[in-house]
Amino acid sequence: EREREREARCPGGGVGRKMVKTVVIVMAMKAEAQPFIDHLDLQKDADRFHKGLRAECYSGTYKDETKVHLVLNGQCHKYGVDIVGTVGGAVTTFAAVQALSPDLVINAGTCGGFRAMGGEVGSIYLCTSFLNHDRRIAIPGFDAFGVGELNTFDLNPELLVQVGAQSGVVSTGNSLNMTKEDEGYIKKHKATCKDMEGAAVAYMCDQLSVPMFALKSVTDIVDGEHPTPEEFLKNLGTAAKSLQQALPKVLSFIAEKPFQA
């Protein structure tokens, strides 16, 4: 029953295809999101979520027909920084799907790229394959759950061309750096993007049967010569601008015709 429901709602599934009228864009950091918020003149919607939740919602329309809700994890009530990582990503995604009933969820944000996989600072990836590289549970059955490989659907090559993006694989973990164990999982699964939220957003959307993909912009080269924190901070603004340029192209593609991934 659950699989039939997923097929009915999943773009590219060949069943129940329809125009995408409502899109939720899930992002972690305000600095990543601000250029896009400004570009579409999205307005803060303060009453969308439970009053105790730190998540923020910015709403508007694209070409007067597609409702766009950009949701952020918000700032931590205790430490005063952006809530990054899988917990914030999953909680915000659940709250947004419940409150906004989107036809499509896009996890947009920055990521680390890999020179060995052809990645460069500024590269744009569209991703529908996800896994976790830091959930190591050496118990039969739980080991596969820990890695949590998930494929949402197959991307339409036309979308890749319109956005000027490459197809990629997201590997998610809760640390900015990469251990040797992390590296082993990432290489084994040929990941192109290392982030801190993607697999959590994908897992929640999978549970709720909402189509989802990720749009990632590379800020740092994980297997390069520069320290990751230094390179990330240096290129965050450039990557955020790349997202601001890419997201309207995605919205334009899905607004013009029934979306087939």
Side-chain angles (χ1 to χ4, degrees):
E1 180 64 33
R2 185 167 173 270
E3 194 62 35
R4 285 198 297 271
E5 178 185 356
R6 188 195 313 266
E7 288 178 2
R9 299 193 63 185
C10 181
V15 180
R17 251 177 261 158
K18 61 180 181 178
M19 299 297 288
V20 173
K21 295 296 185 183
T22 303
V23 178
V24 162
I25 301 169
V26 179
M27 302 184 76
M29 299 182 70
K30 187 68 174 289
E32 296 173 326
Q34 194 63 57
F36 185 70
I37 292 172
D38 294 341
H39 180 73
L40 281 193
D41 193 27
L42 302 180
Q43 300 299 308
K44 191 168 185 178
D45 193 347
D47 299 320
R48 283 292 185 176
F49 302 132
H50 185 282
K51 64 180 181 180
L53 195 65
R54 305 298 291 186
E56 300 176 4
C57 181
Y58 295 83
S59 300
T61 58
Y62 182 75
K63 293 186 176 180
D64 298 322
E65 53 190 17
T66 305
K67 293 180 182 178
V68 178
H69 302 284
L70 188 149
V71 296
L72 295 168
N73 299 339
Q75 284 202 329
C76 178
H77 66 289
K78 187 172 182 179
Y79 297 104
V81 297
D82 291 316
I83 299 172
V84 299
T86 56
V87 173
V91 170
T92 298
T93 301
F94 178 79
V97 171
Q98 290 291 95
L100 303 167
S101 300
D103 301 306
L104 176 69
V105 170
I106 302 171
N107 173 222
T110 59
C111 70
F114 297 90
R115 182 172 295 162
M117 297 298 292
E120 300 176 352
V121 171
S123 293
I124 295 289
Y125 290 95
L126 284 167
C127 307
T128 59
S129 296
F130 303 86
L131 67 133
N132 300 277
H133 56 253
D134 65 350
R135 298 200 318 191
R136 294 179 287 275
I137 311 172
I139 301 173
F142 287 92
D143 49 359
F145 165 77
V147 177
E149 285 187 89
L150 179 63
N151 297 308
T152 53
F153 48 78
D154 295 325
L155 279 173
N156 188 331
E158 292 180 20
L159 178 57
L160 294 169
V161 171
Q162 178 155 325
V163 177
Q166 304 173 61
S167 178
V169 177
V170 173
S171 187
T172 297
N174 279 297
S175 295
L176 187 61
N177 70 332
M178 180 177 67
T179 68
K180 287 294 184 183
E181 290 87 351
D182 296 342
E183 185 178 10
Y185 280 91
I186 290 169
K187 286 183 175 180
K188 177 181 178 181
H189 295 278
K190 299 181 180 179
T192 55
C193 306
K194 176 183 174 293
D195 83 341
M196 297 179 70
E197 292 87 21
V201 176
Y203 182 73
M204 187 56 64
C205 288
D206 187 60
Q207 284 199 61
L208 300 175
S209 298
V210 180
M212 173 271 179
F213 63 83
L215 174 67
K216 297 292 178 178
S217 178
V218 173
T219 52
D220 56 278
I221 301 302
V222 182
D223 54 354
E225 62 272 13
H226 301 294
T228 294
E230 175 184 307
E231 195 171 18
F232 171 80
L233 292 172
K234 177 183 177 182
N235 296 313
L236 178 58
T238 301
K241 186 175 181 180
S242 294
L243 287 173
Q244 179 261 304
Q245 294 170 344
L247 274 167
K249 296 176 183 178
V250 173
L251 293 178
S252 178
F253 184 89
I254 64 178
E256 291 173 356
K257 52 190 172 183
F259 183 58
Q260 181 179 2

